[in-house]
Structures are given as structure tokens and as C-alpha cells.
Amino acid sequence: IGPALISGIAASRFSLPPMVGYLLCGFVLNLSGMYDHDRLTMIGDLGVTLLLFTIGLKLDLRSLLRPVIWAGTTLHTTIFIAVLGALLYWMSLACIQAFSNIDIGKAMLIGFALSFSSTEFAVKTMEDKGEYQSKYGQTAIGVLIMQDIFAVLFIAASTGKLPSVWALGLLVLIPMRYVLMRLLDRAGHNGELQILYGIALAFGAYSLFDAVDVKGDLGALIIGAMLASHPLAGDVSKRLLGFKDLLLVGFFLSIGMSGNITVSTMVIALFLTVLVLFKGVVFFALFTRFKMRARTATLSSLTLTNYSEFGLIVAAIAVTNAWMTEDWMVTIALALTLTIIIAAPINMRAVHLYGRLRSTVRKFETDSVLPEDELPDIGNAKIAVIGMGRLGTSVYDKLVQDYGDFLIGIDNDPDIIIEQKTAGRNVILADATDDEMWER
């Protein structure tokens, strides 16, 4: 705990996620020989279960139905796996020593592990900039959730055995959803009860699915998704955040302790770090083909141009099933660390970077853009109310008496826009964090 704390603080001082510090700390502890790998692995597994449960609590299926999200993510994953897998396999056939003993299956598995982008890094970066609710932020979050679903499907299939016949009994969870929702109602806003309820559901679902030979982590995600529409689901997720982060420290430390850093692993990690540029280019190309504005596509792509902690989870499962060696898990951990160290300062200056490249990247825009990404028509408005929640609505209603002809309301939630227009207010869909909107 002591070394993890110090390394996490050191990483934060350089505006990096503490996760980077934990991974580097694991490498150092591995060299010292002072650790208990088995216990840390067990703690890390608990963290992964809570991670999947909290992802389920935030799963908004409507946001995933946009073609740019589900089709864009699927195409990106497919392209990245095919290109990176083929490249690694070709380098093995070319008898390059560092890539020896890589067959086509192993090459594709490595490509799959590296196809994910870091949820922790993206969320931290956007929250630090206050742009979590921006258009590009919501696009990036949608892609990350789709990637999480791909990872969960892999986790579910990784057991290598068919579910028990008793797995059909899991269908009883469908009518049980009503009971689970009512229990959360009873817990109310009591933080203590919300924490206990969340932990009981996450680990209870894990045990239930595991008992019928279905991957327990899948159970945690499904039970979380069943409660996602509850008004208190967000509160439960926030209450569990500290527990999840604490337990995941064990996971990141154990990854760093899984193998030794050699010249070969470092060389390959540097090579994979360079290849992350291809990942960002493919994201940008797909986003613009799906009719996103260049600004949204650029900022979303920069947020996603890194490797992910979920890739480490995939690699850990692959090592457990003897599909790849521990050296490759260490290599992926190194590549993840390097990409985040590079991506952190770039993303903090992403808007400035886009401003310098705007004339170039705008050439890739399509003639028409997605309706939700269009720049708004302000008309003859002189006064704007940003954010049409309860406070914004009250301000609007007060101002409309004297300035109705020059007043406009702005919000980035389509549901709020429909509700406000139905009430007769002059509102438009726009992103207040978009500098191109302010230029108008």
C-alpha cells in the first residue's frame, strides 16, 4: 500500500492517472521480490468485478444505438485487429527475433487486447477539463462502453466450457428486476445502504453466474445493467467508486509483477506505442465518414488514442488460459503506460492543437453533418441561457417577459430540448464547451 500510494501521488503530480504509477510500482516491486502476488491478484479480481458492475449501472442502450457508436466501434475494432494482427504475424514469419513464436491466433489476440482505449484516462481527462458532457466526450464514452461490451463477451467466452443446464434458471432474473428495483427504492439515499446493496448485487451476481458455469464477471455487468434505468443507479455507482478504485490498485500492481522487463519487451512496447498513432487515425477517418464535424472527430480521436486497462484484463485471461506468455502481458502493460504518458499532455492541449490543425482536418468533413453535431442557428438572439435544467428554466422564464424576442436557451440533452420546445420555449441543441459554437 505504501509504495502504491507514493507512486500514485508521483503520477498525479505529472497530471497522469494514478494507474500509471501503480503499474510502474508493480515493475519496481517485481524487481525487489517484496510482494504477495496471489493475494494482490485476488484483490484485483474483486476490483474487476466491481468495475463491470458500475459499467452496467451506467449502460444507456439508447446512446449505443447511434451508428457512429455501434458501427464505428465495430469497424474500428475489426480494422485494428486485422492490421495489427497481420503485421505481428508477418514480423514473426520474417524471423524477427523479438516477434518469434507468434502464430496468427496469438497475433489476433494481441491486436484485440490493444484495440481498447482507456476508460479511466478518458473520464479523468474530460472531468479535469470540464468537458465530460460535451459532444466529443459523449461520443468517446459511447465508444468506450461498446468496447467494454466486447471485452465482457470475450470474458464470458474465455471459460472454454459450456454453461450448465441450470444456467437456464438465470432467466428468472428478468421478473426479479422489479424486486431489485424496489429494494433500491427502500435503500433510498442512505449511503451506507447503497454501498451494501451494490456490493451484495455485484458479488452475489458473480457467484450466481459462476455456480452455473457462466463467467461471473458477466453476471456483475448484467445485474448492473438491469438497474441502469433506476434514478438512484448513478448514486450507487458513485458510492462504489472508491471501493472499485482501491481494489483495482491490486490489479494494476499484480500486472506489473507478472513478469520481468527485458530489452525485448521494452523494444516491442516502444514499437506498439508508435502503432497507437494508427489507432487514432482510423478513429478520425471513421468518425468523419459517419458525418461528424472535424472538431468533434479530432477531439474524440485524441481521447481514444491510447491503450486500455481492459486490454490488460484480456491479456491476464489469455495468460491464465495459456494463450499467451506473461512476457506479452508485461509488454502490453508497458505500452499502455507509455501511451498514457504521451497522451496526457496532448489531451490537455487538445483544443489548442485542433485550432492549429483546423484548416487541414476540416478538409475531411463530409458535405453534411450529423443533426446532433450541427453548429446551431442562433438567429437574432442577444441573450443565451446555458443549461435548461431547473435553474436555467427559471432564469429563462424570468427574462422572457422583457427580452423574449432576443432570448434563447441552450442545452446539450436532446430530451430536455424536446421537453422545453413542447413548453413553448425558444431552445436549441448545442454544446457550450464547443468554441466553434461561440464563434457564431
Side-chain angles (χ1 to χ4, degrees), residues 76-372:
H76 183 277
T77 302
T78 304
I79 293 169
F80 189 80
I81 292 173
V83 173
L84 184 58
L87 180 60
L88 293 176
Y89 184 55
W90 175 82
M91 297 180 83
S92 174
L93 294 178
C95 298
I96 298 175
Q97 183 62 34
F99 298 92
S100 60
N101 300 320
I102 297 182
D103 57 27
I104 188 64
K106 186 175 180 180
M108 295 296 176
L109 184 58
I110 294 168
F112 179 64
L114 293 173
S115 67
F116 301 99
S117 300
S118 175
T119 302
E120 183 175 336
F121 172 77
V123 171
K124 179 186 182 299
T125 301
M126 289 185 289
E127 285 182 343
D128 287 348
K129 295 192 293 182
E131 297 179 356
Y132 188 81
Q133 294 294 335
S134 64
K135 289 177 183 176
Y136 89 85
Q138 290 304 297
T139 298
I141 292 298
V143 170
L144 290 166
I145 291 174
M146 277 299 300
Q147 290 182 344
D148 293 344
I149 291 173
F150 295 158
V152 170
L153 293 175
F154 173 82
I155 291 170
S158 65
T159 56
K161 58 184 179 182
L162 293 174
S164 161
V165 67
W166 295 104
L168 293 173
L170 295 174
L171 294 174
V172 76
L173 289 174
I174 297 174
M176 276 289 291
R177 178 175 178 271
Y178 173 78
V179 177
L180 297 175
M181 299 280 271
R182 290 301 301 272
L183 279 174
L184 185 50
D185 286 334
R186 298 298 182 189
H189 292 275
N190 187 297
E192 191 176 322
L193 292 177
Q194 286 184 354
I195 291 170
L196 285 173
Y197 187 65
I199 289 177
L201 279 185
F203 297 126
Y206 182 101
S207 300
L208 180 63
F209 276 61
D210 190 58
V212 294
D213 296 330
V214 179
K215 191 71 173 176
D217 292 325
L218 180 63
L221 178 92
I222 289 175
I223 209 75
M226 289 172 63
L227 294 174
S229 62
H230 196 285
L232 295 176
D235 288 351
V236 175
S237 179
K238 291 176 183 176
R239 303 280 187 191
L240 294 177
L241 185 64
F243 291 93
K244 178 202 72 177
D245 290 343
L246 180 62
L247 293 172
L248 281 176
V249 172
F251 174 75
F252 294 125
L253 286 173
S254 65
I255 292 297
M257 299 172 184
S258 298
N260 296 316
I261 298 177
T262 63
V263 174
S264 177
T265 57
M266 183 58 77
V267 169
I268 298 174
L270 290 170
F271 172 72
L272 296 176
T273 301
V274 174
L275 284 181
V276 81
L277 294 173
F278 172 70
K279 188 176 193 176
V281 169
V282 175
F283 268 127
F284 177 80
L286 288 171
F287 287 153
T288 51
R289 292 316 92 198
F290 277 99
K291 300 185 177 182
M292 292 180 72
R293 283 191 296 128
R295 182 186 188 275
T296 310
T298 300
L299 298 183
S300 300
S301 300
L302 287 174
T303 304
L304 298 168
T305 304
N306 50 66
Y307 297 131
S308 169
E309 59 275 13
F310 254 119
L312 294 178
I313 295 172
V314 169
I317 291 172
V319 170
T320 302
N321 291 329
W323 296 335
M324 69 169 64
T325 61
E326 288 186 344
D327 286 347
W328 269 103
M329 187 161 67
V330 174
T331 301
I332 293 173
L334 279 171
L336 161 64
T337 304
L338 291 172
T339 57
I340 289 181
I341 289 173
I342 295 169
I346 291 175
N347 274 272
M348 291 309 294
R349 294 175 56 82
V351 173
H352 175 72
L353 181 63
Y354 169 74
R356 299 186 65 176
L357 299 174
R358 178 158 65 172
S359 59
T360 301
V361 296
R362 273 186 146 178
K363 296 176 182 177
F364 297 93
E365 284 185 342
T366 53
D367 294 334
S368 60
V369 298
L370 291 172
E372 66 266 25

Side-chain angles (χ1 to χ4, degrees), residues 388 396 408-410 416-417 420-421 425-429:
M388 292 297 291
Y396 183 100
I408 197 168
I410 294 177
I416 289 179
I417 297 298
Q420 294 287 356
K421 283 188 173 181
R425 298 183 181 94
N426 179 28
V427 295
I428 57 171
L429 181 69

